[in-house]
């Protein structure tokens, strides 16, 4: 069985947290597609949200993780792709419910709003939690193309 591919990307504000998440992913059974940024030089978060969204939409990755200052802007950029359901999460409860109820396929974290240990906990919950389906299927299907996948 092949490893699942997890794409990860950040802007400059999220770079350091992305590095910590990469270290966490190294200990998990996943192949990582690092889409940048690769340093703390100022960049535009929409570029990285769009690139990660494309990787999830075209099947290069099954799930994605985005990091910017708040997790909001980069999630907005990714959500412009109809195959993506990026959820900005700040704790494990919002992360678990984003996967279970909304079939989120991209986790967005804020480096300025979420500490590294909580972010790592969110990452683990995101990867371990599945979409519940059932009553949520109809609602998720209304979100757009590519919805209601696990």
């Amino acid at each position: 069985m092949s490893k699942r591919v997890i794409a990860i990307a950040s802007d400059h504000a999220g770079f350091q947290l992305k590095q910590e998440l990469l270290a966490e992913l190294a200990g998990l059974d996943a192949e990582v597609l690092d889409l940048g940024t690769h340093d703390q030089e100022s960049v535009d978060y929409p570029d990285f949200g769009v690139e990660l969204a494309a990787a999830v939409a075209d099947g290069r990755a099954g799930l994605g993780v985005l990091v910017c200052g708040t997790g909001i802007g980069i999630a907005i950029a990714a959500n412009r792709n109809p195959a993506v359901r990026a959820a900005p999460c700040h704790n494990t409860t919002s992360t678990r419910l984003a996967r279970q109820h909304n079939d989120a396929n991209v986790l967005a974290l804020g480096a300025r709003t979420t500490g590294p240990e909580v972010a790592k906990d969110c990452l683990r919950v995101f990867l371990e939690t599945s979409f519940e389906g059932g009553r949520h299927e109809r609602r998720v299907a209304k979100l757009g193309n590519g919805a209601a996948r696990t």
Side-chain angles (χ1 to χ4, degrees):
M1 174 183 265
S2 63
K3 292 182 178 183
R4 68 177 161 175
V5 179
I6 310 300
I8 189 167
S10 73
D11 68 356
H12 57 284
F15 174 75
Q16 187 57 49
L17 181 56
K18 183 184 78 141
Q19 296 308 109
E20 295 191 42
L21 295 173
L22 282 167
E24 189 73 18
L25 284 166
L28 303 175
D29 189 31
E31 180 181 335
V32 178
L33 176 61
D34 184 351
L35 299 172
T37 192
H38 301 292
D39 57 39
Q40 292 181 317
E41 188 74 26
S42 183
V43 296
D44 297 331
Y45 64 82
D47 298 336
F48 295 91
V50 167
E51 177 63 27
L52 184 133
V56 170
D58 69 20
R60 286 180 284 150
L63 295 171
V65 178
L66 291 168
V67 188
C68 70
T70 63
I72 297 168
I74 205 163
I76 291 169
N79 279 325
R80 294 184 60 82
N81 186 313
V84 170
R85 291 169 309 285
C89 296
H90 303 288
N91 55 53
T92 57
T93 300
S94 60
T95 303
R96 180 177 46 80
L97 291 171
R99 288 287 293 140
Q100 288 177 331
H101 294 188
N102 307 114
D103 198 17
N105 54 7
V106 174
L107 170 65
L109 297 166
R112 295 177 180 145
T113 60
T114 306
E117 293 308 313
V118 171
K120 289 181 214 176
D121 289 343
C122 289
L123 175 65
R124 284 189 297 276
V125 167
F126 182 73
L127 297 177
E128 294 167 358
T129 305
S130 297
F131 179 50
E132 284 182 351
R135 70 179 199 245
H136 306 292
E137 289 266 352
R138 180 183 79 253
R139 298 166 188 149
V140 171
K142 291 180 177 184
L143 296 175
N145 184 28
R149 298 179 317 205
T150 56

